[in-house]
Amino acid sequence: MSHLSRRHEISGESLHRRYLRPRQHPRWLDGGNNTCPAAMQILHNKDFTPNRTLQRLIEIWSDSVHRRACAESAAPTRNEIADAIDRVKIEKEERYDREILSNILRFARESGDNRAFLAGKDDFVRLLVDLIDFSKLSPSIRTKISDRRRFSNLILKPGRELLTVIVSLFQTGNVELKIDCAGLLEFITVDGESKLLIAERDGLVTELTKSMNGDSDPRLIEASLSFLIAISSPKRVKLDLIREKVITNLTKLLTDDATASSVSVTEKCLKLLESLASTKEGRLVIYGGDGECLKTVVKKHAVTVVWSVCYLFKEEKALEAVMSTNGVTKILLLLQSNCSAAVRRMLTDLLKVFKVYSRSCLAAYDTRTTHIMPF
């Protein structure tokens, strides 16, 4: 160590002695140089003294690396893990949380028996949730993840079972945890494959449907709706949602006083209905039965849903349901409003359909007029 670093008395620079005068290959001093290679100051003498400070720092670093290597070489025993788990339930210290997580990982990697031992511990999953602090994946953190696809692939990677853990947390967690889980699941739905993988996980859609009732926390309802909208584009997922009677739940949300007053909830409900209306099975439910869903949609001025079932697919029962709720008058009123060009085109299409369906009512109606006909 004493030969590793030398400090020159004049320049004060610490230099490798081997660089100054190696045993076999003269480079600097033996090459006739009389200046410091670092500071380029003239060396009045060529005597060097050991740099004790640097030597001591190197020794400290070397010892710490050696101790860490020794500590990590052997996995903790079962008694040590059990004591650590009991201790972490009492002590809530971030530094110790990191330490116990590291020990648990080393212990679990050691053998299958160790993993079985951990699985048999009471509340072990709950303990892991507390240690990991799931809130760290809150929206403020997720927005800093630039590569969503890579993050999604890490979560959904086969064999890692991280998706199973997240779904389990959604099923068993409190409201805050459910909201965080729904947000995380929505965040990792980046393509059709990820949507199918997540949506077809056992029990997830059922649990989401349960969370969308009038008694649930409004934030949880919104988070669940946002997630369902995110995964609803594949037809297989749409059919699963229809089988889980999601349309019935959406109708209840639109008619319940507690949730219908929320603009955000209403918009999300109508957007999800719009997606489900693109399937024949979805349209049958929307205008089927007593037509309550379609009547509610007409009242909410959900033009896209009505246009889909009445104009695009020309479902006769849907036309009857709209007529029974004085839907034509509502369409005429909307035409007089300051609606967008796209909405105006859909309203005009609807009037054409109703003109054919009920000639006695709209036989003389000209879609280019700007007044509302009396009925």
Side-chain angles (χ1 to χ4, degrees):
M1 182 66 69
S2 62
H3 298 289
L4 179 62
S5 179
R6 297 278 173 162
R7 178 182 292 276
H8 190 263
E9 294 178 348
I10 303 300
S11 69
E13 296 291 337
S14 293
L15 308 167
H16 289 288
R17 185 178 182 185
R18 290 180 58 193
Y19 179 70
L20 293 171
R21 185 181 288 116
R23 294 179 180 178
Q24 298 177 350
H25 303 287
R27 292 187 180 180
W28 190 257
L29 296 180
D30 293 345
N33 296 295
N34 64 347
T35 59
C36 170
M40 298 308 294
Q41 297 179 15
I42 295 177
L43 302 176
H44 299 294
N45 63 69
K46 298 181 181 179
D47 296 328
F48 293 88
T49 57
N51 187 342
R52 304 295 183 186
T53 302
L54 182 58
Q55 291 176 21
R56 180 58 182 160
L57 290 174
I58 293 173
E59 289 173 357
I60 293 172
W61 173 81
S62 178
D63 290 343
S64 66
V65 171
H66 178 71
R67 285 195 301 270
R68 191 181 305 119
C70 292
E72 294 180 355
S73 60
T77 64
R78 291 191 177 188
N79 289 336
E80 290 173 340
I81 286 293
D83 291 342
I85 290 175
D86 292 337
R87 180 181 167 190
V88 82
K89 291 178 181 178
I90 302 172
E91 299 183 17
K92 297 296 182 182
E93 187 176 339
E94 186 176 351
R95 176 194 60 79
Y96 189 68
D97 286 353
R98 292 196 299 268
E99 181 182 337
I100 183 60
L101 272 176
S102 176
N103 288 338
I104 287 174
L105 285 173
R106 285 164 44 214
F107 180 78
R109 288 170 181 163
E110 190 74 12
S111 67
D113 290 339
N114 286 358
R115 291 188 287 274
F117 171 78
L118 289 173
K121 295 291 292 181
D122 293 337
D123 295 331
F124 178 67
V125 173
R126 179 65 58 187
L127 171 67
L128 282 181
V129 173
D130 292 339
L131 288 174
I132 295 171
D133 188 5
F134 203 77
S135 62
K136 290 179 180 178
L137 289 173
S138 62
S140 60
I141 300 299
R142 292 197 295 268
T143 54
K144 299 183 183 299
I145 300 175
S146 57
D147 193 345
R148 282 183 62 187
R149 185 175 296 277
R150 182 172 179 272
F151 181 75
S152 175
N153 291 338
L154 289 173
I155 297 292
L156 301 176
K157 185 177 180 180
R160 301 191 70 174
E161 297 302 325
L162 292 178
L163 179 58
T164 302
V165 173
I166 297 172
V167 172
S168 176
L169 293 176
F170 184 87
Q171 293 171 330
T172 60
N174 56 26
V175 171
E176 298 296 335
L177 188 56
K178 286 177 181 286
I179 293 172
D180 283 336
C181 287
L184 177 59
L185 289 171
E186 180 183 353
F187 185 76
I188 62 176
T189 54
V190 294
D191 52 26
E193 183 180 1
S194 61
K195 292 174 183 180
L196 288 172
L197 280 173
I198 296 171
E200 294 178 349
R201 185 62 52 150
D202 290 343
L204 178 58
V205 173
T206 302
E207 195 65 34
L208 284 163
T209 305
K210 291 179 182 177
S211 68
M212 295 191 313
N213 61 69
D215 298 329
S216 298
D217 188 296
R219 296 172 301 153
L220 177 58
I221 294 174
E222 285 196 45
S224 300
L225 286 170
S226 295
F227 171 58
L228 288 176
I229 291 169
I231 64 172
S232 65
S233 55
K235 185 175 181 180
R236 277 161 52 185
V237 178
K238 289 185 175 76
L239 296 178
D240 287 341
L241 296 180
I242 294 166
R243 280 192 291 268
E244 290 290 340
K245 300 183 178 180
V246 168
I247 293 177
T248 302
N249 280 38
L250 294 175
T251 305
K252 291 178 180 178
L253 289 175
L254 290 171
T255 54
D256 191 296
D257 293 336
T259 53
S261 58
S262 170
V263 175
S264 179
V265 169
T266 300
E267 288 179 348
K268 287 180 170 62
C269 286
L270 294 176
K271 188 170 183 179
L272 186 54
L273 277 174
E274 179 184 334
S275 176
L276 300 179
S278 64
T279 66
K280 182 178 180 180
E281 293 81 0
R283 294 191 298 275
L284 286 172
V285 178
I286 289 173
Y287 65 74
D290 57 359
E292 181 64 25
C293 180
L294 189 57
K295 293 175 184 177
T296 302
V297 167
V298 172
K299 292 177 184 177
K300 296 293 181 179
H301 296 171
V303 177
T304 306
V305 178
V306 178
W307 179 84
S308 177
V309 295
C310 293
Y311 174 79
L312 191 60
F313 297 100
K314 295 181 174 59
E315 302 285 357
E316 187 171 338
K317 289 185 178 180
L319 293 170
E320 293 175 359
V322 173
M323 293 289 288
S324 67
T325 58
N326 206 17
V328 177
T329 302
K330 292 183 173 64
I331 293 172
L332 291 169
L333 287 169
L334 284 173
L335 268 174
Q336 312 308 310
S337 66
N338 188 25
C339 58
S340 66
V343 172
R344 185 173 294 276
R345 282 195 298 272
M346 286 189 284
L347 292 170
T348 304
D349 290 338
L350 285 170
L351 283 176
K352 291 177 181 177
V353 172
F354 286 112
K355 184 175 182 179
V356 174
Y357 181 74
S358 181
R359 293 184 180 278
S360 62
C361 179
L362 292 174
Y365 181 74
D366 185 353
T367 58
R368 291 174 294 178
T369 58
T370 58
H371 67 284
I372 298 177
M373 287 181 57
F375 289 92

